[in-house]
Amino acid sequence: MYRTNTCGELRLSDEGRQVTLAGWVQRSRKMGGMTFIDLRDRYGITQLVFNDDTDSALCERANKLGREYCIQVTGTVRERESKNSKMPTGDIEIIAERLNVLSESVTPPFTIEDNTDGGDDIRMKYRYLDLRRSAVRRNLELRHKMTIAIRNFLDSKDFIEVETPILIGSTPEGARDFVVPSRMNSGQFYALPQSPQTLKQLLMVSGFDRYFQIAKCFRDEDLRADRQPEFTQIDCEMSFVDQEDVIDLFEDMCRHLFKELLGVHLPERLQQMPWHEAMRRFGSDKPDLRFGMEFVELMDVLQTGSFPVFDQAKYIGGICVPGCAGYTRKQLDQLTDFVKRPQVGAKGLVYVKYNTDGTIKSSVDKFYSQETLLALKERMGANDGDLVLILSGDNANKTRVQLCTLRLEMGDRLGLRDKNRFECLWIVDFPLFEWSDEEQRLMATHHPFTMPNPDDIPLLDEHPEQVRAKAYDFVCNGIEVGGGSLRIHDGKLQAKMFDILGFTPERAMAQFGFLINAFKYGAPPHAGLAFGLDRFVSIFAGLDSIRDCIAFPKNNSGRDVMLDAPSELDPKQLEELQIKVDLHQENQQN
């Protein structure tokens, strides 16, 4: 045995015990004839003491230890004279009697501490060192606890965990697939699953009425803080259920996770907000309810024929920012520059300051009377000391999205998005279809197997854009954590969906024939939901990015800088796959 105890478990009650510890040198300090080593393992840190008067040879060996040396030490537990209240083991220290250097270390490229001096790129390159930091390790421990809690909860509800294939056929209707060439089937390709969607539906046809899987998924999408090319879903499906059955069960699961892992008690019943209401009030289908600043529509107040920008707009909306009437011209100019950034896309920003002395100052003073600005104050529910920010545009939903970005920015600036507070809700009644400017056709908002609201089925022929979906998203603190829907299990209705989406019967059969044929054999009504495990863990851990709750993540360019992937293939491998790489056209463009 290399160790008999761990660095985090020893306490004052262990005084006098002989123990053997193994781990890494966190830091070393020499004080007179004493050398102090902080030894770190997965469980914590313990101070080791080497005394030159007791064993000068042992102390000399300890003086040669560098950061991150992997060592084994045997010694006796003693009460520490100068206690360290910041360490769980701060009451004790180990009087070293034997030292075994298991492995030396070169100087690490950054300090292995919670407050490290390593930037993102260098930490990703040396991720195996970054994972030694307790701040990162705790995230993976939380992830482990969450997956155990999920498995136990779903097992108690009669779910069965079933693995589904990683090499499947391509389904390009959603995000871009990652494809894998087949050596044994020349010129043909597998795809990595964007989700186990059709496979779990087949399990419902197979009679497995409650399925789940902690599933790896792959999507070749542009990356951001909450998105990776490969990610993990808590993937679930149920037979013989309606929408409320699914929501009730998984709301219970979320309530269980918050209570068990964070000690947080969610309400007994979460709010359900229709998609159209969410867009109208917050400009987002994942609204952050930790703070107010709800949108107020102002067309009737501000379209007075005096300000052309507003008079020609199809939408005018504002938010009331409490207590910010004292914003300076510089601060307001910064906000204007913010909304005009390409990522936001607004043409400008109008402000009205309702000062604490009762005066009103606005960027549109010359266009509006004091009476109109007072009417605006009443409509906005503003008080003296508040700031009103207004955007307008030709497209209502586009302008609402811009106003949403501004609202979130103000929430950040005012410290209103507290990571220790959790506001969860369900978004329901999504549109079944959305228009794609790129494809110039209707696309499925979620996927082609989503059940239309039965009340809206008569609209499919003439007004499909008005049809609501039996779909639902779980949102927490402005983040879409999970979502799902009732599925179509009727072959005729599924054929109509494919037709609206522009599939010919031949293309539908070629791409989804396995599912269409399966539905001919008594398919049960079924529904499902998938949570993003990475996002769930990041919310619980208070992270801004999902990368630090994934052991070996990719960077924002989709690269694994530690493994240097993706990379070129050996010509022999390409020859075996009968693939030729031609970058001539790309090089010409560059």
Side-chain angles (χ1 to χ4, degrees):
M1 287 285 291
Y2 281 108
R3 68 182 179 193
T4 57
N5 295 90
T6 61
C7 290
E9 68 175 305
L10 298 174
R11 297 295 183 268
L12 193 55
S13 58
D14 296 301
E15 186 176 14
R17 285 182 58 195
Q18 186 179 74
V19 297
T20 299
L21 302 178
W24 290 265
V25 174
Q26 175 88 8
R27 64 179 64 87
S28 175
R29 304 179 303 283
K30 184 171 175 57
M31 300 175 63
M34 309 280 281
T35 298
F36 299 91
I37 301 289
D38 285 348
L39 186 69
R40 181 192 70 247
D41 64 8
R42 173 184 146 192
Y43 305 93
I45 296 175
T46 296
Q47 178 172 280
L48 312 176
V49 181
F50 296 84
N51 192 329
D52 189 51
D53 292 338
T54 304
D55 191 332
S56 59
L58 184 64
C59 193
E60 180 62 25
R61 292 181 61 206
N63 289 334
K64 296 178 180 178
L65 296 176
R67 281 179 176 263
E68 301 307 312
Y69 272 45
C70 186
I71 65 173
Q72 176 192 44
V73 172
T74 298
T76 302
V77 180
R78 184 181 74 177
E79 183 176 3
R80 188 167 169 173
E81 290 184 8
S82 56
K83 295 179 172 54
N84 186 343
S85 60
K86 296 180 180 180
M87 291 171 55
T89 59
D91 289 340
I92 60 98
E93 57 193 7
I94 308 300
I95 306 303
E97 299 160 7
R98 291 193 298 274
L99 169 63
N100 182 14
V101 177
L102 303 175
S103 179
E104 296 183 357
S105 172
V106 298
T107 302
F110 54 88
T111 54
I112 314 298
E113 296 180 0
D114 284 0
N115 296 320
T116 181
D117 56 357
D120 285 349
D121 290 342
I122 196 74
R123 290 192 300 109
M124 291 301 102
K125 183 175 181 179
Y126 296 94
R127 183 63 166 177
Y128 46 86
L129 296 179
D130 196 39
L131 289 171
R132 292 182 184 176
R133 295 195 303 124
S134 59
V136 182
R137 187 196 66 246
R138 284 193 297 267
N139 297 335
L140 295 186
E141 290 172 344
L142 175 61
R143 185 187 183 103
H144 163 74
K145 291 176 182 177
M146 181 175 285
T147 56
I148 294 296
I150 289 165
R151 282 191 164 98
N152 289 340
F153 178 88
L154 293 176
D155 179 66
S156 73
K157 301 296 183 182
D158 297 324
F159 281 77
I160 181 171
E161 185 169 11
V162 182
E163 292 182 351
T164 53
I166 292 296
L167 297 175
I168 63 171
S170 178
T171 55
E173 182 65 13
R176 293 184 184 91
D177 287 326
F178 283 102
V179 295
V180 181
S182 171
R183 179 185 60 82
M184 293 181 290
N185 300 276
S186 178
Q188 296 185 316
F189 296 82
Y190 300 105
L192 303 181
Q194 297 180 28
S195 80
Q197 180 59 50
T198 55
L199 296 160
K200 65 182 180 181
Q201 290 189 256
L202 290 175
L203 286 170
M204 297 302 103
V205 177
S206 304
F208 290 85
D209 63 328
R210 293 195 169 196
Y211 142 93
F212 86 99
Q213 182 182 186
I214 309 295
K216 273 288 187 183
C217 303
F218 307 86
R219 294 178 188 173
D220 189 5
E221 297 180 299
D222 294 335
L223 304 184
R224 57 192 187 210
D226 63 350
R227 184 181 287 168
Q228 285 271 298
E230 55 179 307
F231 57 96
T232 306
Q233 281 186 352
I234 309 158
D235 198 58
C236 308
E237 197 81 4
M238 305 165 69
S239 291
F240 309 112
V241 291
D242 59 23
Q243 179 168 300
E244 288 306 310
D245 293 325
V246 178
I247 287 178
D248 287 347
L249 190 145
F250 288 102
E251 189 174 300
D252 281 346
M253 188 186 85
C254 294
R255 197 175 288 110
H256 173 73
L257 294 176
F258 273 95
K259 178 183 176 183
E260 292 299 314
L261 300 180
L262 295 181
V264 171
H265 295 268
L266 294 184
E268 285 301 312
R269 186 69 178 171
L270 296 181
Q271 177 183 0
Q272 295 184 23
M273 184 182 296
W275 179 86
H276 284 285
E277 180 183 342
M279 294 301 297
R280 177 176 55 81
R281 293 172 59 189
F282 301 101
S284 172
D285 57 7
K286 45 182 183 294
D288 189 341
L289 301 186
R290 287 174 292 180
F291 64 104
M293 298 189 214
E294 288 192 27
F295 297 179
V296 179
E297 297 189 12
L298 301 169
M299 301 282 284
D300 58 332
V301 177
L302 295 177
Q303 285 190 330
T304 61
S306 55
F307 185 41
V309 173
F310 283 171
D311 293 336
Q312 297 167 13
K314 298 293 177 61
Y315 174 83
I316 308 171
I319 58 173
C320 179
V321 187
C324 288
Y327 261 37
T328 65
R329 180 60 182 266
K330 180 180 179 181
Q331 288 174 302
L332 293 168
D333 286 345
Q334 288 174 344
L335 288 178
T336 301
D337 292 340
F338 173 80
V339 301
K340 292 169 74 172
R341 290 163 51 190
Q343 302 95 312
V344 184
K347 294 181 178 179
L349 173 68
V350 169
Y351 68 84
V352 183
K353 301 199 294 184
Y354 294 98
N355 297 314
T356 54
D357 62 3
T359 60
I360 303 173
K361 176 63 178 175
S362 168
S363 56
V364 288
D365 280 342
K366 64 181 180 181
F367 298 104
Y368 291 103
S369 66
Q370 290 290 296
E371 289 75 18
T372 300
L373 295 179
L374 286 171
L376 173 67
K377 179 182 181 182
E378 182 177 357
R379 172 64 63 85
M380 295 297 305
N383 297 309
D384 288 346
D386 291 348
L387 172 68
V388 171
L389 301 175
I390 303 170
L391 294 181
S392 65
D394 296 330
N395 182 293
N397 271 344
K398 182 177 179 180
T399 308
R400 287 188 180 108
V401 171
Q402 294 165 351
L403 193 57
C404 171
T405 307
L406 177 61
R407 173 181 179 266
L408 295 178
E409 174 69 12
M410 296 310 300
D412 284 333
R413 292 189 179 205
L414 298 177
L416 301 177
R417 305 180 75 185
D418 183 358
K419 293 179 181 178
N420 294 312
R421 180 183 170 195
F422 302 95
E423 293 291 341
C424 304
L425 76 157
W426 295 93
I427 302 297
V428 297
D429 291 339
F430 284 85
L432 186 63
F433 303 103
E434 58 187 3
W435 180 257
S436 169
D437 290 329
E438 182 180 347
E439 297 279 341
Q440 286 296 297
R441 65 179 178 93
L442 289 174
M443 304 279 283
T445 300
H446 289 88
H447 53 67
F449 315 107
T450 303
M451 175 73 78
N453 188 310
D455 295 338
D456 296 347
I457 288 179
L459 296 171
L460 282 171
D461 289 323
E462 299 296 330
H463 299 287
E465 72 283 354
Q466 299 178 17
V467 177
R468 294 167 295 168
K470 295 295 284 185
Y472 33 84
D473 277 1
F474 180 81
V475 175
C476 180
N477 291 359
I479 298 171
E480 176 201 332
V481 185
S485 68
L486 270 63
R487 321 301 190 191
I488 298 171
H489 66 283
D490 174 78
K492 292 181 180 178
L493 182 56
Q494 187 64 70
K496 181 177 283 291
M497 277 288 292
F498 283 140
D499 181 58
I500 293 171
L501 292 170
F503 284 69
T504 64
E506 293 76 18
R507 182 188 167 199
M509 185 58 67
Q511 201 162 315
F512 300 108
F514 61 93
L515 189 62
I516 294 170
N517 287 329
F519 282 176
K520 298 175 182 178
Y521 295 93
H526 56 286
L529 176 145
F531 289 100
L533 177 63
D534 314 298
R535 291 185 184 180
F536 228 151
V537 176
S538 67
I539 290 172
F540 276 40
L543 302 173
D544 293 321
S545 168
I546 65 173
R547 290 195 305 187
D548 274 342
C549 63
I550 298 173
F552 300 104
K554 309 291 188 292
N555 67 11
N556 288 338
S557 300
R559 293 198 63 82
D560 186 324
V561 294
M562 182 184 69
L563 300 177
D564 193 24
S567 59
E568 296 179 356
L569 286 181
D570 186 281
K572 184 177 180 181
Q573 290 177 281
L574 292 173
E575 185 178 341
E576 287 178 337
L577 294 168
Q578 300 185 50
I579 290 177
K580 181 180 180 181
V581 177
D582 184 2
L583 299 178
H584 177 70
Q585 182 177 358
E586 180 182 334
N587 290 335
Q588 277 189 335
Q589 291 174 347
N590 291 337

